Amino acid sequence: MTLNNKINNTLTYAQQLDKDDPLAHMRDHFSIPKQANGDDEYYFTGNSLGLQPKLARECVIEVLDAWQQRGVKGHFEGDYPWLPYHEFLAEQSAELVGALPTEVVVMNSLTTNLHLMMVSFYQPKAKRTKILIEDHAFPSDHYAVESQLKHHQQDVVENMLLWQPRTGEELLNHQDLYQLIDQQGDEIALILLPGVQYYTGQVLDMKTITEKAHAKGIMVGFDLAHAAGNLVMELHSWQVDFACWCSYKYLNSGAGSVAGCFVHQKHSENTNKESQLNRFSGWWGHDKSSRFKMENNFKAIPTAEGWQLSNPPVLSLAAVRGSLDTIKIAGGITALREKSLKLSQYLMDLITHELSNSIRIITPQADSERGCQLSLMLTVDNLDGKALFNALEKNGVTTDWREPNVIRVAPVPLYNSFEDAFHFVRILKECLK
Ligand SMILES: *Cc1c(COP(=O)(O)O)cnc(C)c1O
């Protein structure tokens, strides 16, 4: 075991790190839930529901006011009219995932978008009928894929190809995936994988996966629920075919808020009748200049917007706008990632130093293989996990518990401090006694 001997495990040191942190001021842009004693909670569940940016609240109220004062004219009037409201989000959303503004659209919810994307990108033909996912995919993704297979009358057992960790291991091994692609590539129509695995926090090599898949003629989509707002990505240059993400985790836009979707330009701009993708369409995906002529001749907008169905929930889009503006104030995703790596490294070092006999970190340690989330496996015998979780809560620590023995903690660079991380380890250590 390599203990990091240089770790300074004092509160003063944590406070010094906060003083030196150029993003420390961002915490003031958020409302932090309070403990019973009035102190801020130690909130580590930004990977599940991000905290409320004060700007998100303002933007939502602005839309409520516009509705109150303008009625239907709100569609066209004011600084942020509703008709093009989603367009105000495109540039910053695109930056988050490394895309062109025309390649992203904020619409629907995550699982809905996964389905809409699979309608376009899963076209079983002849021998090529399989969808490859990971064995421990988020249940909603698993169900979505399963139902798409059934929708196309494909046998689920035969056509749902699962990439599994090796026996006794938690993490996925990329070599195993590449072998599957090598051996069965001709039968795989689509690969759908997460950018960050939700349970272990493992980051997948989206660039290489896309290259290997494309070499075999396979479409590739990523679920970025745990990657958007967490990692720096380059979806456009990686040639990813599509991606979907929700906005309520690291994008802090409120429970169930409207989601993001990426479609690579090469697909949205394709006018070749032979290779054009089929889609489920609605009037909001129709050419803007003729949308209100109300004719029945669908002409898709040649961008990701062409996949929109309905006029979007503007109250929810407003929350996304406030949230994206908050990220912009912080200096964007590159600045956030820089702090994130420092903060999670600090937490990792502290846990290794203080708790290595009761906790094993299952998240990969290398920078390139993790986001901000650390998944901690409790290795204490006969531990009552639920009791421990409750004890943490009682001491003001909010984390996410996964049966049977994993705590997921996400120090979020936008609002978590080094001092938060310090107190988390201190309290966890006390609770374990
Ligand atoms: C959070 C999450 C979801 C949730 O889906 P919704 O449609 O937003 O309810 C789905 N998939 C993954 C991988 C997630 O992390």
Side-chain angles (χ1 to χ4, degrees):
M1 172 137 34
T2 52
L3 277 190
N4 184 346
N5 294 317
K6 279 185 302 211
I7 181 82
N8 183 332
N9 62 354
T10 64
L11 175 59
T12 331
Y13 181 64
Q15 288 167 336
Q16 187 58 48
L17 290 172
D18 282 325
K19 279 204 194 96
D20 296 341
D21 169 18
L23 292 186
H25 66 103
M26 289 311 299
R27 185 178 172 92
D28 299 334
H29 289 268
F30 287 82
S31 299
I32 316 282
K34 300 286 183 211
Q35 304 181 41
N37 67 7
D39 290 350
D40 285 353
E41 262 181 30
Y42 304 113
Y43 192 84
F44 286 101
T45 34
N47 55 347
S48 178
L49 186 80
L51 290 181
Q52 185 182 102
K54 292 174 181 169
L55 272 180
R57 188 181 187 86
E58 275 176 34
C59 290
V60 170
I61 290 172
E62 193 182 285
V63 170
L64 283 172
D65 286 348
W67 176 25
Q68 184 183 56
Q69 291 152 22
R70 303 182 208 267
V72 73
K73 296 192 193 85
H75 281 300
F76 314 102
E77 292 179 356
D79 293 339
Y80 293 95
W82 309 330
L83 187 64
Y85 204 100
H86 68 278
E87 296 172 25
F88 306 133
L89 313 180
E91 196 173 316
Q92 291 180 61
S93 299
E95 244 170 68
L96 283 178
V97 295
L100 305 174
T102 48
E103 291 176 317
V104 297
V105 62
V106 180
M107 63 178 187
N108 310 313
S109 54
L110 170 53
T111 308
T112 308
N113 287 340
L114 283 174
H115 273 298
L116 291 179
M117 288 297 105
M118 280 193 276
V119 163
S120 291
F121 290 93
Y122 175 56
Q123 304 282 348
K125 269 195 202 88
K127 216 163 81 150
R128 201 184 276 283
T129 53
K130 294 181 180 171
I131 304 181
L132 187 150
I133 61 171
E134 46 131 353
D135 185 39
H136 202 42
F138 195 91
S140 201
D141 301 45
H142 190 105
Y143 303 149
V145 166
E146 194 175 329
S147 58
Q148 286 284 334
L149 288 168
K150 286 182 183 161
H151 179 67
H152 287 278
Q153 284 88 42
Q154 299 295 327
D155 182 85
V156 172
V157 177
E158 239 165 69
N159 289 290
M160 197 183 218
L161 194 54
L162 299 176
W163 174 23
Q164 297 171 318
R166 296 179 182 178
T167 314
E169 294 181 12
E170 286 94 20
L171 301 178
L172 292 159
N173 186 316
H174 284 80
Q175 295 315 317
D176 298 344
L177 172 67
Y178 302 151
Q179 204 171 17
L180 280 172
I181 294 175
D182 257 359
Q183 290 167 349
Q184 302 188 48
D186 299 344
E187 297 171 12
I188 304 172
L190 171 68
I191 293 180
L192 178 65
L193 290 170
V196 178
Q197 213 286 339
Y198 79 96
Y199 184 75
T200 62
Q202 178 182 17
V203 170
L204 300 186
D205 183 349
M206 292 177 257
K207 179 170 186 268
T208 310
I209 292 171
T210 307
E211 271 169 25
K212 300 252 186 207
H214 283 173
K216 287 277 189 176
I218 304 167
M219 293 284 192
V220 185
F222 288 102
D223 183 329
L224 304 179
H226 284 260
N230 186 14
L231 304 179
V232 177
M233 291 173 281
E234 292 295 338
L235 298 187
H236 175 80
S237 60
W238 295 343
Q239 298 287 324
V240 170
D241 295 295
F242 73 88
C244 306
W245 57 96
C246 54
S247 65
Y248 48 81
K249 290 170 181 167
Y250 298 110
L251 296 183
N252 312 308
S253 302
S257 197
V258 61
C261 188
F262 164 91
V263 180
H264 199 281
Q265 185 182 41
K266 66 188 170 193
H267 299 298
S268 63
E269 291 184 355
N270 180 9
T271 48
N272 180 336
K273 286 252 178 325
E274 295 291 297
S275 58
Q276 228 175 9
L277 297 171
N278 186 37
R279 76 184 82 195
F280 282 176
S281 11
W283 73 319
W284 229 250
H286 179 85
D287 170 51
K288 289 174 200 175
S289 63
S290 59
R291 183 188 287 152
F292 290 97
K293 289 187 180 154
M294 306 306 223
E295 292 167 348
N296 289 331
N297 200 351
F298 182 74
K299 185 176 158 206
I301 304 170
T303 69
E305 291 172 282
W307 272 263
Q308 292 173 111
L309 299 179
S310 301
N311 78 99
V314 177
L315 284 167
S316 186
L317 288 179
V320 177
R321 181 164 78 83
S323 175
L324 291 174
D325 282 352
T326 308
I327 291 174
K328 193 173 182 178
I329 295 170
I333 187 65
T334 315
L336 287 181
R337 175 66 169 158
E338 199 177 313
K339 172 175 174 184
S340 172
L341 285 171
K342 281 186 198 149
L343 181 56
S344 51
Q345 184 69 52
Y346 169 72
L347 177 59
M348 203 151 67
D349 288 347
L350 213 51
I351 290 169
T352 308
H353 191 263
E354 301 288 306
L355 291 163
S356 61
N357 51 13
S358 43
I359 279 176
R360 184 163 69 81
I361 301 172
I362 60 178
T363 307
Q365 315 257 321
D367 285 3
S368 61
E369 294 173 43
R370 63 182 173 82
C372 72
Q373 173 188 318
L374 299 181
S375 301
L376 314 180
M377 184 172 278
L378 293 150
T379 53
V380 184
D381 286 339
N382 304 320
L383 180 92
D384 182 348
K386 200 72 203 164
L388 175 69
F389 177 75
N390 292 337
L392 286 172
E393 285 233 304
K394 232 177 110 211
N395 286 281
V397 175
T398 307
T399 57
D400 175 279
W401 177 261
R402 295 281 143 159
E403 294 292 341
N405 59 350
V406 168
I407 300 179
R408 300 185 308 164
V409 272
V412 170
L414 272 170
Y415 48 77
N416 280 123
S417 61
F418 289 85
E419 197 176 329
D420 280 346
F422 172 87
H423 288 298
F424 168 72
V425 174
R426 174 183 65 77
I427 294 168
L428 179 55
K429 201 172 167 182
E430 278 166 17
C431 291
L432 276 166
K433 275 193 199 149

